[in-house]
Amino acid sequence: MEVLYENLLSIDPLQLVMWIIGGILIFLAIKKEMEPTLLLPMGFGAILVNLPNSGAVETLETLFNAGIANELFPLILFIGIGAMIDFGPLLSNPKLMIFGAAAQFGIFFTLCFASMFFDIKDAASIAIIGAADGPTSIVVAQALESNYLGAIMVAAYSYMALVPIIQPPVIKLLTTKKERMIRMEYTQKEVSKTTKILFPIIITAIAGLVAPDSVALVGFLMFGNLIRECGVLNSLSETAQKSLANIVTIFLGITISLRMEASEFLRPETLLILALGLVAFIVDTAGGVIFAKILNIFLKKKINPMIGAAGISAFPMSGRVVHKMGLKEDPQNFLLMHSIGVNVSGQIASVIAGGLILNFFM
């Protein structure tokens, strides 16, 4: 009984705030179905580590050192993500890759802006939130030894989950109804098995030459895709896509919560990081849309500029958001294959952008 009273008296008001934040994450995961495999363990973990004298902190510290400090969890997760991705739409229309590159503008814009408030390595770590790629954000922030790893991880994954809320207003602001109704024909082109097998190998080699520090990220992503496309490891591919990815995501989410202790998380810098992450996300979305609009000035066959927004890395959510927006404007406007093609190119581009950041600031 004495221990109970002692613990009740030890509750810090800031811990109560973290309980509320954890509850919000759980609500979003269950009620809104926003990345439940990630936000649910993050939310529960936020409550767990903010209980007075929580004995879970030491256990999570061990898990953190075993899976995040050495970048193991993000890299394994990339194998699962790679196994999920079908590069067919991109390979049948390779020019879509330029939209993936254009949608990374927010990273470098935010880097310049964040450097006004933070040390350059912290600024670089914050900027990569704009990649909309949680594993890349973790790897970059960890490699650059950022002092704000917890806030960066939470921002990166939270904004990924909020893609359906953040992107539509930005897209609508930058496009007219006429532009959103532009139809894009999709012609199914046969992509040979050899091409699909060679693609991840070639991309890994090119990334290694352009941004050597991205090789681990790109390599694990492409290895997962090679498992998918080789045709002789179907059961392994299915395991990587489902069981492996889900298990690692759960461990990743609850381990991230270690950096959500009130004393470390609730400080003015956290709010600034969340704001800068949102800026990066918005500018990335806007960059892809504006780039498509500029291209339309020179093209006879117009592109629906909404697909440029899918160039962020949040796969496949961003591609689906664009497709749904197209259907809302015109029930016969099917943009899914185009937007998914841009979306997977954004996945590659964001990883390479993370590698470039590491090359510059390691």
Side-chain angles (χ1 to χ4, degrees):
M1 185 66 69
E2 184 178 338
V3 174
L4 174 60
Y5 286 135
E6 184 180 334
N7 279 342
L8 287 173
L9 293 173
S10 298
I11 295 176
D12 188 317
L14 293 180
Q15 290 178 320
L16 295 177
V17 174
M18 291 307 302
W19 295 359
I20 294 171
I21 291 174
I24 291 171
L25 293 176
I26 293 172
F27 172 79
L28 292 174
I30 298 174
K31 185 68 175 179
K32 301 298 182 180
E33 297 185 13
M34 292 182 177
E35 292 289 311
T37 55
L38 186 70
L39 292 191
L40 184 62
M42 278 176 61
F44 185 79
I47 297 171
L48 194 65
V49 300
N50 284 287
L51 293 170
N53 307 311
S54 175
V57 172
E58 290 76 13
T59 302
L60 288 177
E61 186 74 48
T62 301
L63 199 57
F64 185 92
N65 291 332
I68 293 183
N70 59 10
E71 302 169 9
L72 179 64
F73 287 166
L75 292 177
I76 292 177
L77 184 57
F78 259 28
I79 295 176
I81 294 171
M84 296 176 196
I85 296 175
D86 178 9
F87 286 114
L90 178 62
L91 291 171
S92 65
N93 191 6
K95 66 184 180 183
L96 295 178
M97 291 193 74
I98 59 175
F99 293 106
Q104 308 309 311
F105 174 72
I107 295 172
F108 301 98
F109 173 85
T110 306
L111 171 60
C112 299
F113 196 41
S115 63
M116 297 167 60
F117 305 98
F118 295 94
D119 171 85
I120 190 63
K121 288 191 175 182
D122 287 324
S125 302
I126 293 165
I128 207 67
I129 295 172
D133 187 340
T136 300
S137 297
I138 292 174
V139 170
V140 171
Q142 188 69 37
L144 295 180
E145 299 180 346
S146 173
N147 296 309
Y148 306 100
L149 181 61
I152 289 168
M153 291 188 295
V154 172
Y157 278 108
S158 297
Y159 289 141
M160 280 177 61
L162 294 173
V163 163
I165 296 174
I166 297 172
Q167 282 205 302
V170 178
I171 295 171
K172 285 187 175 182
L173 181 66
L174 295 172
T175 57
T176 64
K177 184 175 180 64
K178 183 178 179 181
E179 286 175 325
R180 295 194 295 273
M181 292 180 68
I182 293 175
R183 292 187 180 184
M184 296 177 65
E185 294 181 5
Y186 179 76
T187 305
Q188 181 68 44
K189 297 179 182 177
E190 190 66 32
V191 179
S192 69
K193 182 178 178 179
T194 301
T195 301
K196 288 187 174 183
I197 290 174
L198 289 175
F199 181 74
I201 299 171
I202 292 171
I203 289 294
T204 303
I206 292 173
L209 295 173
V210 174
D213 285 324
S214 72
V215 171
L217 292 167
V218 175
F220 276 68
L221 181 73
M222 291 300 153
F223 175 64
N225 188 251
L226 187 59
I227 291 174
R228 172 195 177 100
E229 301 297 352
C230 69
V232 295
L233 295 172
N234 292 335
S235 60
L236 190 59
S237 173
E238 186 174 339
T239 299
Q241 293 179 47
K242 297 178 181 177
S243 303
L244 180 66
N246 287 334
I247 290 170
V248 174
T249 300
I250 289 172
F251 276 118
L252 188 64
I254 201 162
T255 306
I256 286 172
S257 66
L258 178 68
R259 293 294 181 258
M260 295 178 72
E261 289 185 86
S263 58
E264 181 180 337
F265 191 80
L266 292 179
R267 42 183 176 168
E269 293 89 345
T270 299
L271 292 177
L272 183 54
I273 288 167
L274 292 172
L276 288 168
L278 182 59
V279 167
F281 212 92
I282 290 172
V283 175
D284 270 349
T285 299
V289 173
I290 292 170
F291 182 72
K293 287 168 70 79
I294 292 172
L295 280 183
N296 277 345
I297 297 173
F298 307 99
L299 295 175
K300 290 183 179 179
K301 198 170 185 179
K302 304 301 181 184
I303 296 169
N304 190 312
M306 290 197 298
I307 70 167
I312 66 169
S313 177
F315 174 85
M317 290 176 290
S318 186
R320 290 173 179 168
V321 165
V322 169
H323 175 60
K324 288 179 180 178
M325 289 185 70
L327 289 176
K328 189 175 181 180
E329 299 291 346
D330 175 2
Q332 300 302 314
N333 193 7
F334 299 99
L335 297 173
L336 184 61
M337 298 309 291
H338 300 287
S339 61
I340 289 295
V342 173
N343 208 179
V344 297
S345 74
Q347 182 76 63
I348 298 171
S350 69
V351 175
I352 293 176
L356 289 172
I357 291 288
L358 291 178
N359 278 350
F360 292 150
F361 300 109
M362 278 286 282

